[in-house]
Amino acid sequence: MYVAVKGGEAAIANAHRLLADRRRGDRSVPSITIEQIAGQLGLAVDRVMAEASLYDRSLAALAIRQARGDMIEAIFILRAYRTTLPRFGTSRPLDTTSMAIERRISATYKDLPGGQMLGATFDYTHRLLDPSLLTDAPVEEPALRQPDDEVSLMRVSEILAQEDLIEADGELPADHVTGDLTREPLEFPMSRDLRLQALARGDEGFLLALGYSTQRGYGNAHPFVGEIRIGEVEVEFDVPELGFAVSLGCIQVTECQMVNQFKGSAKAPPQFTRGYGLVFGQSERKSMSMSLVDRALRATELGEDITAAAQDEEFVISHSDNVQSTGFVEHLKLPHYVDFQAELDLVRRMRRDFEASRQAGNDDDFMEAAQ
Amino acid sequence: MTMKTEALTGGFAEPVHQAQGVFKLMMDGMARPGTIQTVGGGGTVPPAPLGIAAGAIALTLCDHDTPVWLSAQLASPLIADWLAFHTGATVTQEKAEARFAFIEAGKALSSFGLFSIGTQEYPDRSATIVIEIANFENGQLLSLSGPGILGTREIRPEGLPDAFLRLWADNRVLFPRGIDVVLAAADRFVCLPRTSKITVREI
Amino acid sequence: MDTAREMEMTPGGKDERKRVVDLLAHADRAELSAPWENLQPKPEMYPVRGPETGLVMVRGRIGGGGAPFNLGEVTVSRATVRLASGAIGHGQSLGTDREKAKLAAIFDALWQQPETRDFVENRVLAPVCARIEQHKHRNAEEAAATRVDFFTMVRGDD
């Protein structure tokens, strides 16, 4: 039962005023700009865009500032904003083979065509706090090197495919209509396209933990990073008034092909199978986690036993969205006065009954002892 | 092929306000079945033979997520382009896929059966069918009753498809599933949600 | 507008028009507003649609080349304008900058008019194209500098 309660307006208004003050912080320190957040906290912006499921660097930076750096709050704000906009349509599928590569590595082939490019990575850093960043010390320009002439950066999966040792890219039946969880309520079992949409916007921490669990034996994983590539791809959109697809511009994405050894089953021969990860922005950890979980969720399709949480799509997909999760967890702090009064009343009654029966029991014992 | 100029013009001059206005009329119309709602001109000039009210309803309710089915005379490349440019909606040949259908005046209707009627769990996943008629003055006197109507309300639509009353009776049996109908004539329309019962009034 | 007129207004056909529209989508706001300031006389123009901001759902493919899936949305702003000559221009690009979309639509329309095409080619498209090429090349050079050149250590024989 809900009862309307009034009286909090002044407190709420003042709380919001206090929030604005705390957000601004010390007035003698210059306030942070959207350009600074977008330019210097780029990976935070990437995370907000990926989990808000909306690619817009400026708006994500604004959300981070507004949320005082609380990432889930920023994601929530950006998600809420996207619901105010009409949808013009659907892009052509991104062509990640024609990506302008910023980073591309493989853990399975040392000498893959096109080479391994480390890009801007934290790998091989020593994770020691860097005091030079306490000051605004000048930073060197990046090193340059003449790139190879237009080497086609073939996917690692294509190398294995030449030996017929890896499954094909995931196909769905020809009459399958691409699902969209922003339009239709979730239903289980779910097709792989919908699962990937859910994972792409899923909480990085949740997916990381699940991916880790598959490596520790909860699930059936023998994963190798076939390839990770980060870079810019064109977004092509069919414009009916022009009658052809045009470019809307470029977005940065991270793609992970996770190759998994597979012993074979009644449904498929021994071969390598794959999990796939594709995420907005530079989000290597997220794309790797996504590909691990994608592979684990294919257990039924590949005839594997479902023994672990990461293989249970209803468990994974129902709990992967951090806006949904935070909504339900945080609603507990809202007034439940009436619910609680009812519970309090119930517990008091049960306690009275309990005391009464214990008293009766004591009396019986006394009687028995007396006899 | 690049679209023709006629397909690019004739939309709402002020999309936000006009769409809100027509949406309000639709809500009022659905809440009070049988009342005549007038969209007025407002510069909306849909390509012929799509009527002004039908066109305004399309501009208001159709979007990229609502495939539209058009009857034979309406299914011209010009109207399809006009809908695509102004609403983002695509035209479908499959009645079952359509969330909205527009039917020209005088079109014979054999059944609503192929249009989506929704499911028991999601009765909202059904089609809304806009039927162009001649006028609301000179037709057979019909009496409406049901939710949103205190007692009964009378309408006189001229140019209803011949089998309409039988099809409507069949549609009501499906409740909560079923299609909803909007009758449109020039710049006016009348809503017939699936809950409305129609009886012929003997004069 | 009949087909013959359309062809006249779309020199080079679809591929040429696509080149123009694609380049305008990649332009920065300043790369459009600066030439617009310099354009004399300014054309009379009428809004046809927008400028407006909305979303486009971006799709990927399972495994990179398989069935499509919905990855997430991007903000897109777009506009359609008509010039006094009847030329209709469309502008659309990522982001929420509606003014930029309108300028792109105007330049798309101006490009279709023979008398203003050179202005658009030389003052708008050429600089954008050069900047994009330079940016691409620079990024490729920076990535190439982080390419690993593996060499095998010589093993001892004993």
Side-chain angles (χ1 to χ4, degrees):
Chain A
M1 184 169 121
Y2 293 89
V3 177
V5 181
K6 282 175 74 79
E9 287 99 333
I12 290 170
N14 287 340
H16 290 169
R17 193 167 151 182
L18 184 61
L19 170 67
D21 173 85
R22 294 295 190 266
R23 175 164 52 218
R24 176 59 184 87
D26 183 350
R27 306 293 201 278
S28 67
V29 176
S31 69
I32 191 167
T33 67
I34 299 306
E35 290 73 23
Q36 285 168 347
I37 296 170
Q40 297 171 43
L41 296 175
L43 300 187
V45 169
D46 286 341
R47 179 165 182 197
V48 170
M49 294 195 303
E51 294 172 32
S53 201
L54 180 65
Y55 195 102
D56 188 309
R57 301 202 76 84
S58 311
L59 294 179
L62 173 62
I64 290 169
R65 180 172 172 182
Q66 187 177 334
R68 303 178 65 194
D70 178 336
M71 301 301 272
I72 291 181
E73 185 68 23
I75 290 160
F76 197 162
I77 294 169
L78 201 55
R79 279 268 186 98
Y81 171 78
R82 69 159 279 286
T83 64
T84 65
L85 296 177
R87 187 184 284 181
F88 294 156
T90 304
S91 82
R92 294 267 178 100
L94 299 177
D95 177 13
T96 51
T97 43
S98 63
M99 180 186 283
I101 300 277
E102 295 159 27
R103 169 170 167 81
R104 189 262 197 141
I105 54 163
S106 170
T108 51
Y109 287 98
K110 179 167 66 73
D111 298 310
L112 75 173
Q116 309 226 16
M117 288 182 277
L118 303 181
T121 181
F122 292 115
D123 297 349
Y124 321 109
T125 64
H126 296 115
R127 268 81 182 205
L128 299 174
L129 276 175
D130 180 358
S132 76
L133 291 174
L134 287 170
T135 61
D136 199 9
V139 177
E140 271 185 304
E141 290 293 315
L144 302 178
R145 172 170 157 179
Q146 188 60 32
D148 289 349
D149 297 331
E150 289 302 310
V151 194
S152 161
L153 290 190
M154 79 185 323
R155 290 203 181 88
V156 167
S157 49
E158 292 169 46
I159 302 173
L160 280 164
Q162 289 165 355
E163 256 192 282
D164 194 26
L165 284 179
I166 194 165
E167 63 173 355
D169 287 336
E171 290 296 344
L172 293 169
D175 60 348
H176 179 80
V177 179
T178 306
D180 185 352
L181 58 81
T182 68
R183 291 296 186 267
E184 303 290 342
L186 297 184
E187 278 177 34
F188 299 99
M190 195 177 246
S191 54
R192 193 175 171 198
D193 56 335
L194 269 170
R195 288 199 306 252
L196 286 171
Q197 183 183 9
L199 296 177
R201 53 161 46 196
D203 183 80
E204 180 173 320
F206 180 72
L207 297 183
L208 175 66
L210 282 174
Y212 180 44
S213 75
T214 68
Q215 289 179 276
R216 292 191 65 252
Y218 293 90
N220 191 14
H222 303 274
F224 298 90
V225 168
E227 184 179 356
I228 293 169
R229 52 172 72 189
I230 302 176
E232 291 198 333
V233 287
E234 298 256 355
V235 180
E236 293 248 316
F237 180 57
D238 276 304
V239 175
E241 51 271 25
L242 284 166
F244 50 84
V246 301
S247 172
L248 297 173
C250 289
I251 61 170
Q252 188 194 40
V253 294
T254 303
E255 183 186 51
C256 176
Q257 303 270 3
M258 195 69 82
V259 177
N260 285 260
Q261 184 219 90
F262 177 61
K263 291 194 177 71
S265 69
K267 293 185 179 179
Q271 60 181 328
F272 289 104
T273 57
R274 280 192 278 163
Y276 186 66
L278 186 65
V279 184
F280 280 156
Q282 179 173 339
S283 295
E284 196 161 277
R285 185 186 306 118
K286 166 84 179 273
S287 70
M288 293 173 74
S289 306
M290 176 176 172
S291 58
L292 288 171
V293 176
D294 171 47
R295 174 60 187 80
L297 289 175
R298 295 177 59 209
T300 307
E301 174 199 338
L302 293 164
E304 296 169 329
D305 291 336
I306 296 181
T307 57
Q311 295 168 312
D312 179 340
E313 67 172 6
E314 190 159 352
F315 177 80
V316 173
I317 303 298
S318 300
H319 302 115
S320 62
D321 189 307
N322 55 25
V323 176
Q324 199 176 352
S325 308
T326 203
F328 202 48
V329 169
E330 292 198 38
H331 106 283
L332 292 174
K333 70 192 170 188
L334 297 177
H336 284 72
Y337 307 137
V338 177
D339 302 54
F340 189 70
Q341 282 301 321
E343 299 249 335
L344 196 59
D345 191 49
L346 183 65
V347 172
R348 279 186 189 130
R349 243 183 310 130
M350 290 191 303
R351 175 60 74 88
R352 265 199 310 274
D353 293 350
F354 173 80
E355 297 291 356
S357 70
R358 196 168 64 174
Q359 192 59 47
N362 285 348
D363 292 350
D364 288 350
D365 291 347
F366 179 76
M367 292 295 282
E368 277 167 29
Q371 276 170 0
Chain B
M1 185 58 136
T2 312
M3 280 186 188
K4 297 185 174 190
T5 308
E6 294 90 319
L8 308 183
T9 53
F12 285 142
E14 282 196 61
V16 173
H17 292 115
Q18 286 177 283
Q20 283 176 351
V22 176
F23 189 80
K24 173 82 165 53
L25 294 177
M26 283 295 297
M27 290 223 297
D28 289 346
M30 283 287 176
R32 299 177 185 82
T35 55
I36 294 174
Q37 309 289 333
T38 306
V39 301
T44 309
V45 189
L50 192 61
I52 289 176
I57 289 168
L59 293 176
T60 302
L61 297 183
C62 298
D63 64 21
H64 171 256
D65 294 319
T66 61
V68 170
W69 185 89
L70 299 171
S71 63
Q73 278 195 40
L74 297 176
S76 67
L78 181 58
I79 291 181
D81 282 352
W82 188 80
L83 286 173
F85 182 75
H86 294 284
T87 74
T90 52
V91 171
T92 176
Q93 312 289 325
E94 299 297 324
K95 288 181 178 176
E97 284 177 7
R99 304 303 295 265
F100 292 95
F102 292 85
I103 294 175
E104 73 224 26
K107 168 88 177 164
L109 269 182
S110 55
S111 138
F112 293 137
L114 292 174
F115 290 110
S116 173
I117 54 170
T119 63
Q120 209 69 19
E121 293 79 19
Y122 297 102
D124 54 305
R125 293 179 183 177
S126 58
T128 300
I129 302 175
V130 180
I131 304 172
E132 190 78 22
I133 61 168
N135 59 61
F136 293 109
E137 281 78 33
N138 304 326
Q140 188 179 22
L141 186 63
L142 301 177
S143 178
L144 305 184
S145 59
I149 302 168
L150 187 62
T152 60
R153 185 173 287 131
E154 287 165 357
I155 57 172
R156 285 180 166 275
E158 182 178 15
L160 276 184
D162 288 340
F164 185 80
L165 295 179
R166 178 176 57 77
L167 297 179
W168 190 252
D170 295 346
N171 185 55
R172 280 198 69 242
V173 174
L174 301 169
F175 191 83
R177 295 171 298 157
I179 52 116
D180 303 300
V181 163
V182 179
L183 302 176
D187 67 343
R188 299 189 300 165
F189 68 89
V190 161
C191 295
L192 296 175
R194 67 194 73 175
T195 50
S196 292
K197 184 179 178 189
I198 307 179
T199 47
V200 179
R201 276 285 292 274
E202 305 298 338
I203 310 170
Chain C
M1 204 190 304
D2 60 27
T3 311
R5 175 131 174 89
E6 261 175 50
M7 291 308 289
E8 180 205 318
M9 295 187 72
T10 311
K14 183 188 122 178
D15 290 347
E16 269 295 275
R17 181 82 183 275
K18 177 170 164 54
R19 175 183 67 85
V20 174
V21 175
D22 284 2
L23 281 172
L24 290 171
H26 281 83
D28 295 338
R29 168 79 167 272
E31 288 172 326
L32 300 180
S33 57
W36 173 247
E37 295 303 323
N38 292 328
L39 179 65
Q40 293 299 341
K42 303 252 189 296
E44 238 180 281
M45 47 137 188
Y46 312 93
V48 176
R49 183 181 65 189
E52 57 186 355
T53 298
L55 302 170
V56 167
M57 175 55 89
V58 176
R59 287 191 167 166
R61 288 188 182 281
I62 300 175
F69 69 95
N70 288 313
L71 174 64
E73 288 162 313
V74 286
T75 50
V76 173
S77 295
R78 68 181 181 187
T80 298
V81 300
R82 183 169 56 85
L83 302 185
S85 69
I88 288 183
H90 304 288
Q92 51 276 305
S93 63
L94 297 180
T96 53
D97 191 342
R98 287 180 283 280
E99 186 59 27
K100 188 180 116 177
K102 193 174 89 182
L103 289 170
I106 294 169
F107 284 122
D108 176 41
L110 287 171
W111 181 85
Q112 294 168 61
Q113 302 183 140
E115 62 275 20
T116 43
R117 185 172 311 138
D118 283 349
F119 179 89
V120 179
E121 283 287 355
N122 300 329
R123 306 289 292 277
V124 184
L125 301 180
V128 172
C129 190
R131 198 251 311 149
I132 293 172
E133 285 307 314
Q134 198 194 353
H135 169 78
K136 268 190 191 164
H137 188 68
R138 169 87 184 188
N139 278 2
E141 283 186 317
E142 289 173 3
T146 66
R147 195 177 65 217
V148 183
D149 296 312
F150 287 105
F151 55 91
T152 308
M153 307 290 277
V154 179
R155 289 183 194 165
D157 281 335
D158 46 355

